Amino acid sequence: MRKPVWPPLARERVHFVGQPVAAVIAESAAAAADAAELVQIEYRDLAPVTTLADALREGAPQLHAEAPGNLAFDFESGDAAAAEAAFAKAAHVSRLTLRSQRLVGNPMEPRACAASHDAGTAIYTIYTPTQGVNGMRGALSALTNVPRERLRIVAQDVGGSFGIRSPAYPEHAVVMAAAKRLGRPVKWVGTRSEVFLGDNQGRALELTGELALDATGRILALRWDHVANLGAYATPFGAWVGTRNLTVTMGGVYRIPVLYGRARCVYTNTAPVSAYRGAGRPDIAFAIERLIEYAAAEHGLDPIEFRRRNFVPAEAMPYKTANGTVYDSGDFAAVMDDALARAGHAGFAARRAEAAARGKLRGIGVAAYLEAAGAGAAPKDQVRGRFGADGFLTVWTLTQSGGQGHETTFAEIVASGLGVPIERVRIRASDPEADLVGSGVGGSRSLAGCGSACRVLADRIVEQARPFAAEALEAAPEDLEYARGAFTIKGTGRAIGLFALAERLAGPTPHPLDALGEGTFGATFPNGCHVAEVEIDPDTGATRIVRYTAVDDIGTVVSPALARGQVHGGVVQGAGQVFGEQAIYAPDSGQLLTASFADYPMPRAGIIERFDVHPHPVPTGTNVLGAKGVGESGCSGSLPALANAVLDALRPLGIATLDLPFTPARLWEAIAAARGRALSRRAHAPQV
Amino acid sequence: MAKVAMTVNGKAVALELEDRTLLVDALRDALGLTGTHVGCDSTQCGCCTVHLDGRSVKSCSMLAPQADGRAILTIEGLAGIEGPGSGDALHPVQQAFTECHALQCGFCTPGMIMAAAGLLAENPAPTEEEIVHALEGNLCRCTGYVNIVSAVQRAAELMRG
Ligand code: FES
Ligand code: FES
């Protein structure tokens, strides 16, 4: 991969609007802002490239000498020759280009960091919102060349992360350098404008799919050609999004004998792109389910039956896809039937007719999605349980919650594993002193990875405590049984509670019952079927999401309320992308035109009028909990379900595809153009 | 420099501040009331919502000197104002947010709660549409708003008793 250096402060060339160029350190933020006004920089304008088409054009301006043609990466997965042969014998072929437009992640808490440097030990202490201290340590060490051992990262409450709080940023390095130089703590708190301009952005993908069908509507092959806009520099996750995450589940829930994907990653004069809620997986789910719906319409197939005919059947699990991914479990047909029934799919025609009578365009959209989750970067997941003098069991983890609720979910897992009240267990993330191995938050894996380690921890603690309990009860360890938080001598009433035992053993550190829970847990494949129903006002182009049904196989559910909350949030984030959000750079100046909440429409309260969420668990065997993950599935389901619903509403007008986002202006124009075409057709119709 | 005397969460405070100080910065930096958050620089997110003489306002969109002589209520002062005395009891809106899982990361929450409390003070039985309208100026990136709207309905119920 061709990967140019990304300096914390721009040198010689500024590669994107928003790249830091100078730093002012002052006693107050207001004073620093005043001083920043005095910084004068003379820029010489160079021609920018902001879009994929511009960047790949012959003779396009080159961003980096290391990357001729602005190309960082040309990647392929699957069998190109087999795909060619399958397409040659296909009865039907459908081809569709889809764009998953560039987004700004916009956690409500802007990015921030505070650093101090201890001259004696040469250790930096850095407070910053992150998705896990281990990942941040590695990323910061790579950015600054400061060895990991000298980086102490502290993260507490994180105000939303969504993928873009996992990398290290230039500001971290600048604040660290300033703290060292000045010998004083230095803090930087970003503004929303800095979030828009300087945070890594998301999506920015163009996906072209081709589907080969036989005469009976069976899928013979699926071929993809992706182009990913990396922005000005390669973030640690940018190319991962544009390659691996787009191809690992490129066949979705379908049994497709031949798969092939090509992906090119391209540099442009825009903010660098990184993982953002789903990181390529919602994008490919969106593309597959749009292509399925498009192909069904093109070849006169019922889209539901078309899906059903091509699903990987439950009996085929575990199923190895043509490009080598193994889906461990899933019952896609049952999940779809569940969703269709709950969404009242059968009664839709009447609702469409009723809406038409009111002059509204009503559409229904179905999406059967699947995504890869669970695989972490670290070789295993560890958590450490420590018994404190205060009578609590504190469990240290590496996953930094940004609102997912690890504090209660993991406590529940440990407490129910031990049979003790949840109030006795405290979850703490990111002990700077703990030398734990494991991944941070990402890939919807915290429950499958860290949660499973918590389950293992409970068993470890019981086993570790058994000989001590035996000693306390003056019995043989094998004569003890453990239940409801206590060891009892079998057949007697003599017992000692776990915490009573811990209190007896208190004194030495580590406490004799302190234990490590660990394991290596495999990839999971959350899937589901979402059904969206929309109503478009053709006079204004405004869309109402009148009904939304999400049925998700997220495996075993530990905390139903939290899981539902994740689906709500993910689906609405997808709705934001479908109906309004987009980061637009001016092609001639490289300026971000949508750089505030005034120009970048975030989803607001009430965006979905009726919202039903139902789990349909098919537990996985790849981790001890059976959990598949739920953090990102909402986006993977809602992008295609909502887009399919809108296009279903527009299909009677002859509109087969349209680029996101479906803003009122875009829909109004498309509707007006389609009606104009219809009118002019009528005007030219021969008189009879 | 401006002298600002106001009541914050029932206590009289007197501050001397640069004229340009925003109310939100005075609350956070001068008074240490960091429960009021700053989520934007264009008065659009609502994270900074507080009550000014009983009505919800965005504290980033006014200068601290404009609050001279006025009464400010922030999230820190909300608990215990309903019902007699107990500063520990959650305000019904806080209680409802807890019950309904109406927050994830919590960054928008103080603003959401102050906006909701402001709505319920004016309209004790809002319809769903009125709730959605009242929260128009408050952004949340995590929850999809579903449980927030339910929490406001629940809070209305709790307050009606
Ligand atoms: S900080 Fe006041 S509205 Fe955003
Ligand atoms: S709970 Fe995170 S922004 Fe609302």
Side-chain angles (χ1 to χ4, degrees), chain A residues 292-326:
Chain A
I292 288 285
E293 195 82 10
Y294 179 87
E298 191 176 23
H299 305 300
L301 303 164
D302 176 89
I304 301 298
E305 288 316 309
F306 179 40
R307 286 187 174 89
R308 207 187 302 279
R309 190 171 315 158
N310 286 288
F311 277 151
V312 176
E315 313 82 74
M317 296 293 171
Y319 171 78
K320 188 171 184 177
T321 69
N323 63 327
T325 305
V326 179

Side-chain angles (χ1 to χ4, degrees), chain A residues 30 34 104-106 108-109 158-160 162 191-193 276 402-403 561-562 565-566 568-569 572 581 597-598 603-605, chain B residues 20 38-42 44-45 47 101 104-105 107-108 128 132 135-137 139-147 149:
Chain A
D34 288 346
V104 180
N106 274 326
M108 291 316 298
E109 178 190 39
V158 173
F162 312 116
T191 61
R192 180 60 50 185
S193 299
Y276 166 68
L562 295 183
Q566 286 297 310
H568 287 159
V572 168
E581 295 180 40
F597 286 140
R604 284 168 200 270
Chain B
R20 62 178 172 176
V38 179
C40 75
D41 44 12
S42 55
Q44 274 148 335
C45 74
C47 290
H101 181 44
Q104 291 182 24
C105 81
F107 196 82
C108 70
E128 189 171 328
V132 162
L135 297 180
E136 172 85 30
L139 297 178
C140 173
R141 193 50 147 173
C142 301
T143 63
Y145 304 96
V146 184
N147 292 345
V149 174

Side-chain angles (χ1 to χ4, degrees), chain A residues 104 181 238 280-281 293 305 345 392 433 451 456 544 647 685:
Chain A
V104 180
R181 169 112 37 117
R281 290 128 67 218
E293 195 82 10
E305 288 316 309
H345 190 265
F392 287 93
E433 260 59 74
V456 172
R544 289 170 49 206
L647 282 149

Side-chain angles (χ1 to χ4, degrees), chain A residues 385 387 457-469 487 498 501 505 510-517:
Chain A
F387 285 85
L457 173 70
D459 295 343
R460 289 272 172 91
I461 289 173
V462 172
E463 282 330 299
Q464 209 157 305
R466 187 177 293 275
F468 293 104
F487 288 96
L498 181 68
L501 183 64
L505 298 172
H511 188 284
L513 301 188
D514 287 357
L516 199 64

Side-chain angles (χ1 to χ4, degrees), chain B residues 5 15 40 70 72 90 92-93 113 116 118 125 127 134 152 154-155:
Chain B
L15 299 170
C40 75
R70 320 282 293 267
I72 308 289
L90 291 179
V93 179
I113 287 180
T127 62
V152 181
R154 172 80 184 125

